[in-house]
């Protein structure tokens, strides 16, 4: 994106270190089990790739994609699954991996939809938790980084599909 002014918020080194810690927590909590890790496209794909390579727990992976409809760029609450997972999750230990929790609407919807399929357990790991914009109560079980608000890009997070490929996370300062 041209004209984007940005400041580094989380460096690749800080990200690496935090993901190692998260992977250790998850590996400890799921010791002796096999995880179904579900990445929420598109944003989570880089985080998920880094996270699962540090797990001590065996896992299989799948992907879902959701869309929210409404005016402007903010969620209206109307969430639909546009690409569902292909695996059966009944009686499985499922970990949803997401890049960011913002209003909480996307994950609230997905968690409810997956619960109806009867998983043995269901938890959420979010790379980033943007806490001030919640519209519904939602707490991820594992969180990489917490921020209050602000527009963040990089490491999977986009601005109009751009900037996902940045290895570090930036906060955009001229929006
Ligand atoms: C972003 C993000 C989450 C959702 C969080 O996805 O990846 O899925 O919004 O917002 P919420 O908590 O307000 O529901 P986006 O629709 O931008 O898709 P993307 O992952 O393809 O960028």
């Amino acid at each position: 994106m041209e004209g984007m002014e940005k400041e580094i918020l989380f460096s690749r080194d800080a990200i690496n270190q935090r993901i190692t810690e998260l992977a250790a927590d998850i590996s400890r909590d799921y010791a002796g089990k096999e995880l179904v890790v579900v990445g929420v496209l598109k944003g989570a794909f880089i985080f998920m790739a880094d996270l699962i390579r540090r797990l001590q727990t065996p896992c299989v992976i799948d992907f879902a994609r959701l869309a929210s409809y409404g005016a402007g760029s903010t969620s209206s609450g109307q969430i639909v699954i546009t690409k569902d997972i292909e695996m059966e999750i009944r009686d499985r230990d499922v970990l949803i991996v997401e890049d960011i929790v913002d209003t909480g609407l996307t994950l609230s919807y997905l968690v409810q939809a997956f619960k109806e399929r009867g998983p043995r357990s269901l938890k959420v790991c979010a790379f980033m938790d943007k806490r001030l914009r919640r519209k519904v109560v939602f707490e991820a079980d594992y969180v990489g980084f917490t921020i209050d608000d602000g527009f963040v890009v990089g490491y999977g997070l986009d601005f109009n599909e751009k900037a996902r490929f940045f290895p570090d996370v930036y906060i955009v300062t001229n929006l």
Side-chain angles (χ1 to χ4, degrees):
M1 56 196 282
E2 271 144 53
M4 179 175 70
E5 289 170 24
K6 60 190 194 311
E7 287 170 10
I8 199 155
L9 187 62
F10 302 116
S11 69
R12 65 198 76 185
D13 289 346
I15 293 167
N16 271 333
Q17 192 181 332
R18 184 69 190 114
I19 292 176
T20 299
E21 293 168 1
L22 280 177
D25 290 347
I26 293 166
S27 301
R28 183 197 61 228
D29 293 351
Y30 290 95
K33 296 179 175 165
E34 184 190 60
L35 269 173
V36 179
V37 178
V38 175
V40 182
L41 295 170
K42 300 177 189 175
F45 81 108
I46 293 176
F47 174 48
M48 178 173 167
D50 284 346
L51 182 70
I52 65 170
R53 285 181 290 175
R54 288 178 177 77
L55 291 179
Q56 302 296 311
T57 313
C59 68
V60 296
I61 64 160
D62 206 337
F63 293 95
R65 182 148 169 73
L66 295 96
S68 68
Y69 291 105
S73 59
T74 49
S75 303
S76 65
Q78 194 64 28
I79 310 283
V80 292
I81 296 175
T82 55
K83 184 234 173 294
D84 206 344
I85 54 171
E86 293 160 13
M87 285 177 183
E88 177 70 48
I89 57 170
R90 181 166 301 282
D91 298 328
R92 305 295 305 266
D93 293 300
V94 179
L95 180 67
I96 298 172
V97 173
E98 179 59 292
D99 57 348
I100 192 162
V101 189
D102 190 354
T103 63
L105 291 166
T106 303
L107 278 169
S108 297
Y109 180 90
L110 188 61
V111 163
Q112 190 50 46
F114 277 10
K115 272 187 182 163
E116 289 168 12
R117 302 178 191 184
R120 184 188 302 134
S121 68
L122 179 59
K123 288 189 180 181
V124 172
C125 177
F127 175 66
M128 194 168 299
D129 186 356
K130 202 196 262 193
R131 299 205 58 91
L132 286 185
R133 284 174 32 98
R134 283 294 199 289
K135 290 184 181 168
V136 289
V137 175
F138 183 85
E139 294 290 337
D141 300 280
Y142 305 96
V143 173
F145 295 97
T146 300
I147 61 171
D148 288 339
D149 204 352
F151 204 96
V152 284
V153 296
Y155 199 71
L157 295 155
D158 74 311
F159 178 77
N160 290 342
E161 293 300 327
K162 300 185 194 303
R164 288 195 203 276
F165 62 93
F166 295 164
D168 310 281
V169 170
Y170 294 84
I171 189 148
V172 179
T173 54
N174 64 338
L175 276 183

